[in-house]
Amino acid sequence: MTVSEAESDPKSPVLFELRDSGVAVVTLNRPERMNAWGGGLAAAFYRCIDRAEADPDVRVIVLTGSGRAFCAGADMGDLDTIGGADAGGDTDVTKLVGERHPYFVTQLRKPVIAAINGACAGIGLTQALMCDIRFAAAGAKFTTAFARRGLIAEYGISWILPRIAGWSAAQDLLLSGRTFFADEAKELGLVKEVVPPEELLPRALAYAEDMARNCAPSSLAVIKRQLYDDALRNVHDTSAAAEKLMHESMQRPDFIEGITAFFEKRQPSFPALEEETP
């Protein structure tokens, strides 16, 4: 698979690669710090995600890490610079976390697939859970860690974790802060598949590329919005909203193309996602 565009600076804390398949690969790139959240990583991550969201050539986003970690949590070195809690000052964690909370990826119109290549802890786990689908490398370690650092369930993990793994599992993982491995993550429903480390990115890319080839970007955008919006609605309002969205989808050319391709037994040719009107 040829690469049509890549980040020119390999020292950037986040790399961006746009593949000919319509899949953008965003790579957290501080391997010497186990891709810890800090050191300019947050701002670079937002820039890369915004770039992928705005580019009509991008249909699916894959998020992964370089080296032996996905994201090992907050950069403890940076914690010394964000406030003077011990000196009686206010600790401004927003300087470390960045301008956006992890849930912002749920509000994108494009699917985000996490390829969890290694250690996934703290805010790294929160960010992975906010992705739409997750694959993990065999042996990858996971932990919420918050309770063992004197912290709380931060930045929406107490909302997303019970919805993915169930109430009991969320209580276990958040209250104990214990370490668990990729195989248990799959049993709990946190990841879709566990594959050998060398097969992780190819498998996630194959999944993303199949989605990019065969799914209408307009449908992906609406379905993703439905999933997160409907989590806060009752079934009556959910069904009513879905009926309205269904009527709208049947007016788009994507619907005609999807049906025609099905009957003609060919791959559909869906148009790129249109820009949102303000």
Side-chain angles (χ1 to χ4, degrees):
M1 183 67 63
T2 60
V3 174
S4 60
E5 188 175 351
E7 183 72 26
S8 57
D9 183 4
K11 295 182 180 179
S12 172
V14 180
L15 304 178
F16 181 92
E17 175 188 314
L18 173 55
R19 301 172 72 89
D20 291 340
S21 59
V23 175
V25 181
V26 175
T27 305
L28 306 181
N29 188 44
R30 300 181 74 214
E32 74 285 355
R33 302 293 296 174
M34 296 185 72
N35 301 320
W37 201 264
L41 184 145
F45 175 65
Y46 304 145
R47 286 195 300 271
C48 288
I49 293 294
D50 287 347
R51 178 179 174 182
E53 175 77 346
D55 189 340
D57 289 335
V58 175
R59 299 193 172 208
V60 184
I61 302 166
V62 170
L63 174 63
T64 192
S66 60
R68 60 193 181 94
F70 176 77
C71 175
D75 192 322
M76 294 301 176
D78 283 359
L79 288 175
D80 293 335
T81 69
I82 63 174
D86 292 337
D90 292 328
T91 301
D92 185 4
V93 295
T94 60
K95 292 180 180 178
L96 174 61
V97 173
E99 62 190 29
R100 305 180 204 178
H101 291 189
Y103 74 84
F104 89 93
V105 299
T106 69
Q107 300 177 323
L108 302 177
R109 297 192 296 161
K110 298 174 183 179
V112 183
I113 298 170
I116 302 169
N117 54 299
C120 185
I123 194 170
L125 178 57
T126 303
Q127 193 67 72
L129 293 176
M130 294 297 179
C131 295
D132 303 303
I133 299 159
R134 289 156 296 280
F135 293 82
K141 291 182 180 181
F142 297 74
T143 178
T144 62
F146 306 121
R148 299 192 180 209
R149 304 291 182 269
L151 296 170
I152 51 83
E154 65 183 15
Y155 294 107
I157 195 171
S158 59
W159 182 87
I160 193 70
L161 184 55
R163 284 166 167 77
I164 294 174
W167 188 261
S168 180
Q171 288 176 303
D172 165 31
L173 299 179
L174 286 169
L175 294 175
S176 73
R178 65 181 178 85
T179 297
F180 57 103
F181 291 85
D183 285 341
E184 184 177 357
K186 183 178 185 304
E187 290 175 7
L188 294 172
L190 299 184
V191 301
K192 179 184 184 303
E193 293 177 19
V194 176
V195 298
E198 67 276 10
E199 296 177 16
L200 175 66
L201 193 55
R203 175 66 186 110
L205 285 171
Y207 184 92
E209 288 167 352
D210 177 76
M211 187 184 294
R213 280 193 308 270
N214 295 300
C215 297
S218 62
S219 294
L220 293 175
V222 174
I223 290 170
K224 180 166 175 174
R225 187 172 76 244
Q226 285 180 281
L227 281 166
Y228 293 105
D229 286 354
D230 290 347
L232 304 176
R233 292 189 177 117
N234 60 46
V235 68
H236 178 272
D237 291 342
T238 294
S239 185
E243 183 177 27
K244 179 177 181 294
L245 292 169
M246 177 63 75
H247 285 301
E248 291 175 359
S249 71
M250 295 177 74
Q251 305 304 311
R252 288 192 288 268
D254 307 58
F255 173 67
I256 300 299
E257 171 61 13
I259 296 299
T260 303
F262 174 76
F263 282 113
E264 293 179 354
K265 296 182 169 33
R266 60 171 173 81
Q267 181 180 314
S269 180
F270 292 118
L273 195 61
E274 295 180 357
E275 250 185 85
E276 281 189 310
T277 53

